[in-house]
Amino acid sequence: MSRTRRLDLAEDALSEAFARASSRWRADGVPTNPAGWLYRTAHRQIVGWLRSEAVAARKAPLLAVRRDWVAPDVDGLPDERLHLILLCCHPALSPTSRSALALRLVLGTRTDEIARLFLVAPTAMAARITRAKKKIVQAGIPLAAPAKDELRTRLDEVCRTIYLAFTAGYTPGSGPHLLRADLAREALRLALLLRELVPDASQVKALTALLLLQHSRREARVKDGRLVTLAAQDRALWHEDEVQAGVALARSLAPAQGYAEALRLQALIATEHARTANAESTDWSTIARLYAALEALTGSPVVRLNRAVAVAEVEGPNAGLALLETLDEFLANHHRLSAVRAALAERDGDVALARASYQKAIALCSNDVEREHLQAQLRGLNEGVKRGVTPPT
């Protein structure tokens, strides 16, 4: 892209290179330098396309970048991917498009996965990303590297993009895999790099703390291909060095505003889970209070869903169910709303609601591992009813 300044060609050529790799590497084996092979293949594809475009040289560039952009340390940024995220978070693009564009173009996240993270339809997200690309062209946005003082104005969007990429790694949508630890690990790496650039930025510190704490549990999240809930996880498998680093960083954070405060509250919630030796010792009252503050700050329906779980631990399942009543309008197609409602209804003794909610969650869930977990929960409910066992309250 640095040679052609053509975002469309670069994206299409890389897709073509990956498609060729999937067929050729299967037959010929993986080359010694896979990245180099992909680069050369994509570059040759672009050259071929350019030769067929008689007017290519007169077309406006889709992305204005420095001539030396391919250098590994551009304008003090130690990573090309981080550099591109900053470019996609240019303030001239609409706030609703920046992170989505970065996830699609920089991290290769599928459009349907991005749509799920933003709680919108895939068609709406595809249109949003297309509009962002057209904006670059039509407005002639010079997406050059930001000056040092401009960097801080983009930190919220950069942090949001990195966090969304991390979330995509631990909550993948359709398919047989519950986790994509490689994507989450890359997001953490970018957060650590960003902290080296702006070590005093509160949102960056909070993001790093949160990702360290969440990523520390990666080995305990799945066992024998099955989902392991937080309460059932073997805490001996948690990475203690990351836990300690995350807890220390989270506790050092002062109250902030805006997105920095939202990240700080989430880091403190993760700290409450991480600092106890077992699930039974969890301070759910503090977690419920932190979620209430986070919901007041963000108005997020997903935050309320998580808050309902915490409130149920403190005040009982009926209190948690009450918090879910307004969420169908916002999370009607989100299987986790039905899954949480099913679990709380089962604890509350409402077998009919629990069964119906489990069935709805299973129908909405597109991930094989999560769906199997929900089916096991439903089987357990039905077997308990057959034996005449009253669900615990």
Side-chain angles (χ1 to χ4, degrees):
M1 183 165 63
S2 61
R3 295 185 179 183
T4 65
R5 298 191 299 172
R6 292 288 302 274
L7 182 59
D8 56 342
L9 295 185
E11 186 179 10
D12 292 344
L14 188 57
S15 298
E16 178 67 23
F18 275 111
R20 293 185 182 184
S22 66
S23 60
R24 294 189 183 180
W25 292 3
R26 188 179 295 110
D28 303 336
V30 178
T32 305
N33 183 3
W37 189 98
L38 290 169
Y39 176 84
R40 287 191 301 274
T41 301
H43 181 258
R44 289 167 183 165
Q45 186 68 54
I46 291 175
V47 170
W49 286 334
L50 288 176
R51 286 173 178 169
S52 67
E53 293 184 10
V55 295
R58 295 191 297 273
K59 286 189 175 181
L62 291 182
L63 181 62
V65 297
R66 294 165 48 113
R67 290 179 180 269
D68 62 343
W69 180 80
V70 293
D73 187 10
V74 178
D75 291 329
L77 296 182
D79 183 85
E80 291 182 7
R81 187 168 285 187
L82 180 58
H83 185 91
L84 262 181
I85 291 175
L86 280 162
L87 301 186
C88 289
C89 293
H90 192 282
L93 295 174
S94 68
T96 59
S97 300
R98 297 169 193 164
S99 292
L101 183 63
L103 286 170
R104 181 70 190 95
L105 297 184
V106 183
L107 297 168
T109 310
R110 296 202 318 266
T111 301
D112 61 322
E113 292 293 326
I114 300 173
R116 184 175 56 83
L117 293 172
F118 282 83
L119 302 178
V120 300
T123 52
M125 180 52 66
R128 183 183 301 182
I129 293 173
T130 298
R131 285 194 299 270
K133 293 179 183 178
K134 288 182 178 179
K135 175 71 172 180
I136 294 173
V137 180
Q138 294 169 354
I141 297 173
L143 295 184
K148 196 165 186 178
D149 56 339
E150 294 177 332
L151 173 61
R152 291 183 179 275
T153 67
R154 304 188 194 182
L155 282 180
D156 277 3
E157 291 301 326
V158 173
C159 287
R160 185 175 285 109
T161 299
I162 293 173
Y163 187 32
L164 286 169
F166 182 88
T167 302
Y170 277 118
T171 57
S174 59
H177 302 296
L178 181 66
L179 308 177
R180 284 192 57 193
D182 58 333
L183 182 56
R185 182 169 55 250
E186 174 65 9
L188 176 57
R189 185 185 70 84
L190 292 172
L192 292 170
L193 284 174
L194 192 62
R195 190 171 175 230
E196 291 180 6
L197 291 173
V198 279
D200 61 325
S202 55
Q203 63 268 64
V204 177
K205 291 166 65 177
L207 175 69
T208 304
L210 176 59
L211 267 54
L212 280 169
L213 290 168
Q214 298 283 23
H215 195 55
S216 70
R217 303 200 301 263
R218 57 190 175 277
E219 310 294 347
R221 293 173 182 263
V222 178
K223 182 178 181 180
D224 299 327
R226 299 178 182 274
L227 181 152
V228 181
T229 62
L230 177 60
Q233 287 178 11
D234 181 358
R235 301 194 173 203
L237 297 176
W238 292 5
H239 291 253
E240 186 61 26
D241 57 337
E242 295 172 358
V243 170
Q244 292 181 3
V247 168
L249 188 54
R251 287 176 171 171
S252 72
L253 296 169
Q257 295 181 339
Y259 191 55
E261 178 65 4
L263 289 172
R264 186 185 78 91
L265 291 171
Q266 291 178 80
L268 291 176
I269 291 168
T271 294
E272 288 301 318
H273 287 297
R275 70 180 184 84
T276 58
N278 51 64
E280 292 72 24
S281 303
T282 303
D283 185 353
W284 285 106
S285 295
T286 296
I287 292 176
R289 175 178 56 78
L290 291 168
Y291 269 127
L294 184 60
E295 183 184 357
L297 178 66
T298 65
S300 167
V302 175
V303 172
R304 170 164 281 219
L305 179 63
N306 291 324
R307 179 187 166 206
V309 174
V311 168
E313 294 292 335
V314 179
E315 302 177 24
N318 192 259
L321 285 168
L323 285 175
L324 302 181
E325 290 179 357
T326 62
L327 292 184
D328 290 284
E329 176 185 355
F330 306 100
L331 302 175
N333 296 318
H334 199 307
H335 73 277
R336 287 196 179 87
L337 172 58
S338 295
V340 170
R341 180 175 281 135
L344 296 184
E346 183 176 359
R347 286 175 53 189
D348 201 41
D350 191 338
V351 174
L353 177 60
R355 181 181 290 115
S357 298
Y358 275 131
Q359 290 171 342
K360 183 176 181 180
I362 291 167
L364 290 173
C365 184
S366 58
N367 183 268
D368 296 350
V369 179
E370 279 192 279
R371 186 168 55 250
E372 183 178 339
H373 175 77
L374 291 168
Q375 290 169 338
Q377 297 295 104
L378 178 58
R379 287 194 299 271
L381 172 69
N382 290 333
E383 290 170 2
V385 172
K386 288 180 181 179
R387 295 195 305 268
V389 176
T390 303
T393 58

